[in-house]
């Protein structure tokens, strides 16, 4: 089966050059002291906001690897943009509006005066699947009416479009009901994995995690009695199996989910946590930590789910959370749901060229588990999180460049399962858990 076609639109290398004083909304703007930001818009997508650094005239152009905004379009979304352009008098455009900001707000930015807007039309070049540089360099974004010319207020930006194919997977049922996981391509659904949910602590011992309060610096939970479900949620385990029945990844709840003192919610100060595990690549019957997912419930009447995922570096061991590399942290509204996303292009890390996309993975015994997430920029994976009390059959999208074989995808399925179950683990303790989550089940092997 082929991966699903996506393109990503990257906006970066932002810089503002104002060599002389200019007017904006009646206020004088100085090139070296006025804070600025931009809003990047693409039709049918949320607006993205980013700071725009001021560049002195003699300074070099901004670094093109500094990504300010990114948009991901599948074939349907791209065709919709192009069709709208054909049916109307105006082309669909990527718009970058630059504002001066007033200082003094809590986040350092407030609504400011518009300096100008740069518009880049959406074109059929975007559909070819070949990396295309749509725009690069300095552009005038406004005119000084008193002088009738561009006064030097210029925006530097680099806009490029490149293919970003993805694999799409879906759990065929609720995670706690141990469903199959299929790969989806159009109307075709091909079984790839199965997952097994359990609350049986015997599996933890098989993973090499001693049945003690702490193991190698990570807290390890124990199987609780049914009457303790309202006081703590612990011992949940999901094991991902390949089609031959061999376990290829796992998510183990290693820090119990307990309510904050005086409340019925899991707090950010004391989150529950999962350890995402993978087998030794050498084929030995032992497991290695791959990542750590923390989850909690934000304050507020409507409720929000907080998620934080850290990747454990190759050979980094499990000495503690300080060894993890943060690759995603977000808050998802539980009333309507959202998406958990790992996108390293949005992280404040040193970027490097991405690995080239690979063909549809085939099962093999020689798999690369050093997936390069801390350094490879761009989309990695996403998992839909439905609203609270809604049925959940997680849909996972995974960038092909991070998958050298089928088994490489398994850890992401384990991560998606942990994200999905965190929705239940973080629900108020005044509510009763579903029966499949509140009773011991058989051994996940």
């Amino acid at each position: 089966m082929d991966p699903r076609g996506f393109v990503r639109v990257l906006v970066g290398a932002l810089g503002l050059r104002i060599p002389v004083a200019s007017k904006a909304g009646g206020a004088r703007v100085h090139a070296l002291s006025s804070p600025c930001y931009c809003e990047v818009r693409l039709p049918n997508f949320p607006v993205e906001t980013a700071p725009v650094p001021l560049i002195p005239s003699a300074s070099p152009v901004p670094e093109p690897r500094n990504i300010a905004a990114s948009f991901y379009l599948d074939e349907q979304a791209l065709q919709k943009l192009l069709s709208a352009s054909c049916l109307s008098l105006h082309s669909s455009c990527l718009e970058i509006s630059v504002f001066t900001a007033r200082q003094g707000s809590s986040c350092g930015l407030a609504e400011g005066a518009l300096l100008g807007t740069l518009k880049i039309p959406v074109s059929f070049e975007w559909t070819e699947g070949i990396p295309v540089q749509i725009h690069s360099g300095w552009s005038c974004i406004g005119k000084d009416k008193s002088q009738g010319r561009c006064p030097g207020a210029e925006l530097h930006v680099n806009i490029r479009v490149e293919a970003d194919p993805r694999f799409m997977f879906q759990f065929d049922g609720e995670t706690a009901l141990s469903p199959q996981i299929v790969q989806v391509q159009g109307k075709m659904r091909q079984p790839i994995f199965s997952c097994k949910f359990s609350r049986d602590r015997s599996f933890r011992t098989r993973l090499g995690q001693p049945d003690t309060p702490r193991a190698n610096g990570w807290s390890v939970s124990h199987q609780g009695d049914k009457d303790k479900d309202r006081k703590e949620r612990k011992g949940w385990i999901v094991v991902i199996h390949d089609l031959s029945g061999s376990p290829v990844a796992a998510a183990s709840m290693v820090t119990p989910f307990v309510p904050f003192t005086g409340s019925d919610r899991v707090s950010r100060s004391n989150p529950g946590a999962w350890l995402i595990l993978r087998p030794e690549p050498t084929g030995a019957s032992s497991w290695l930590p791959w990542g750590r997912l923390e989850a909690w419930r934000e304050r507020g009447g409507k409720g929000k789910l907080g998620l934080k995922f850290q990747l454990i570096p190759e050979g980094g061991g499990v000495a503690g959370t300080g060894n993890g590399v943060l690759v995603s942290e977000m808050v998802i509204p539980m009333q309507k749901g959202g998406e958990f996303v790992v996108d390293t292009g949005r992280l404040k890390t040193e970027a490097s060229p991405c690995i080239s996309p690979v063909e549809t993975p085939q099962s093999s015994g020689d798999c690369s588990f050093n997936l390069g997430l801390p350094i490879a920029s761009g989309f990695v994976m996403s998992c839909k999180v439905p609203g609270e009390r809604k049925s959940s059959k997680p849909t996972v999208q995974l960038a092909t460049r991070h998958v050298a074989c089928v088994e490489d995808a398994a850890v992401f399925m384990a991560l998606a399962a942990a994200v999905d179950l965190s929705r239940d683990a973080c629900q108020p303790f005044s509510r009763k858990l579903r029966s499949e989550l509140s009773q011991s089940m058989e051994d996940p092997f």
Side-chain angles (χ1 to χ4, degrees), residues 372-394:
L373 298 191
I375 60 172
S377 63
F379 174 86
V380 178
M381 68 91 73
S382 69
C383 174
K384 287 188 177 181
V385 180
E388 203 164 42
R389 297 186 178 182
K390 293 182 180 179
S391 177
S392 177
K393 297 180 180 181

Side-chain angles (χ1 to χ4, degrees), residues 183-389:
Q183 185 182 5
V184 180
Q185 177 65 24
K187 295 182 179 180
M188 298 180 64
R189 299 170 64 86
Q190 177 184 354
I192 298 293
F193 303 108
S194 62
C195 72
K196 185 69 175 180
F197 172 79
S198 176
R199 296 187 63 197
D200 191 337
R201 68 180 178 181
S202 65
F203 176 60
R204 187 172 295 106
T205 303
R206 299 189 189 188
L207 292 178
Q209 296 180 325
D211 192 19
T212 58
R214 294 186 68 84
N216 298 324
W218 301 93
S219 62
V220 177
S221 59
H222 294 269
Q223 171 67 35
D225 297 326
K226 294 180 182 179
D227 59 356
K228 294 183 179 180
D229 283 334
R230 294 187 178 183
K231 298 180 181 179
E232 58 181 8
R233 294 160 185 160
K234 60 183 181 179
W236 300 1
I237 303 167
V238 177
V239 185
I240 307 298
H241 299 261
D242 62 18
L243 293 180
S244 70
S246 301
V248 287
S252 175
M253 187 184 283
V254 293
T255 302
F257 286 71
V258 297
F260 184 70
T261 304
S263 75
D264 68 344
R265 64 177 180 85
V266 180
S267 72
R268 185 188 182 99
S269 61
N270 187 32
W274 300 80
L275 198 60
I276 312 301
L277 300 153
R278 58 178 175 81
E280 279 271 16
T282 58
S285 57
S286 58
W287 294 72
L288 294 174
W290 179 76
R292 177 182 172 90
L293 177 73
E294 295 180 351
W296 63 91
R297 185 85 174 208
E298 289 283 338
R299 295 179 180 178
K302 294 183 178 180
K304 295 180 179 180
L305 176 66
L307 295 165
K308 177 181 178 181
F309 178 60
Q310 293 173 292
L311 189 73
I312 300 174
E314 194 78 14
V318 289
T321 58
N323 287 346
V325 177
L326 179 65
V327 293
S328 182
E329 184 170 2
M330 61 185 54
V331 174
I332 297 174
M334 290 310 299
Q335 186 175 24
K336 63 179 181 180
E339 274 193 324
F340 170 75
V341 179
V342 178
D343 187 342
T344 58
R346 300 176 185 270
L347 297 176
K348 303 298 183 181
T349 56
E350 190 67 24
S352 70
C354 296
I355 302 172
S356 299
V358 297
E359 299 298 326
T360 304
Q362 302 296 322
S363 181
S364 87
D366 182 19
C367 295
S368 170
F369 287 104
N370 186 11
L371 301 178
L373 298 191
I375 60 172
S377 63
F379 174 86
V380 178
M381 68 91 73
S382 69
C383 174
K384 287 188 177 181
V385 180
E388 203 164 42
R389 297 186 178 182

